[in-house]
Amino acid sequence: AQTVTQSQPEMSVQEAETVTLSCTYDTSESDYYLFWYKQPPSRQMILVIRQEAYKQQNATENRFSVNFQKAAKSFSLKISDSQLGDAAMYFCAYRGGGATNKLIFGTGTLLAVQP
Amino acid sequence: DTGVSQDPRHKITKRGQNVTFRCDPISEHNRLYWYRQTLGQGPEFLTYFQNEAQLEKSRLLSDRFSAERPKGSFSTLEIQRTEQGDSAMYLCASSLIRGRQETQYFGPGTRLLVL
């Protein structure tokens, strides 16, 4: 069975600085997708960034980028120029490329942004 | 707003009562997912529909849980004879499958408290 591990329950970053959130996963599949979702307090989960395993190039979305290391099964999220609005719970998620389409989530990392 | 909507947002019930939640997906999204999120954890998959067909159910979905998606539009999740362990946030997500591409968009959730 696939698993997703986020080993940092909480992280803190100063406004305008850079922070990296870690995620590792375990799978025997070669085709899969990885996601980072953001869940602000009492608000709905929104997609931050996605990565297809067959793509070698790391995905980027404005201030958000990932470091995808397929051999190491690592998928970290880098947030540059952190803003107060980035404060939220961040979840790493895995979806297999086969018939199952469910997302498998990690336990999350709570990010605090200090002014 | 044309995002995923859920109703009610909060529900308090007594143990043994039945509850029903509704999810309205993004228009024309053909897939609809239900997840459950307990405090301090990431969401866990419960079930999903493609159009009106329920294609997968998690072992977490006991006999007391039933989900429907009549006509492939909105979906309902019913919990019969609620137990205190059912207290959680119930999240709905929808997606439009296009070949290999699929991104799940989440609703705000229904927070259930069973007394």
Side-chain angles (χ1 to χ4, degrees), chain A residues 6 15 26 34 56 59-60 72 107 112:
Chain A
Q6 293 180 251
E15 200 174 0
D26 190 26
L34 296 164
Q56 293 186 338
T60 62
T107 51

Side-chain angles (χ1 to χ4, degrees), chain A residues 22-59:
Chain A
S22 301
C23 173
T24 58
Y25 58 94
D26 190 26
T27 183
S28 58
E29 297 178 304
S30 58
D31 184 22
Y32 53 87
Y33 302 83
L34 296 164
F35 305 83
W36 279 98
Y37 279 89
K38 169 185 177 182
Q39 189 176 40
S42 301
R43 296 184 63 185
Q44 65 200 78
M45 194 158 348
I46 58 175
L47 178 68
V48 175
I49 199 165
R50 61 177 282 155
Q51 174 81 43
E52 291 86 352
Y54 62 86
K55 290 187 178 178
Q56 293 186 338
Q57 187 173 7
N58 288 324

Side-chain angles (χ1 to χ4, degrees), chain B residues 88-113:
Chain B
M89 175 78 86
Y90 290 83
L91 296 170
C92 175
S94 73
S95 69
L96 178 63
I97 188 77
R98 285 179 177 159
R100 296 166 60 89
Q101 298 294 323
E102 180 189 14
T103 297
Q104 295 181 28
Y105 296 88
F106 284 81
T110 293
R111 186 171 294 282
L112 173 66
L113 177 61

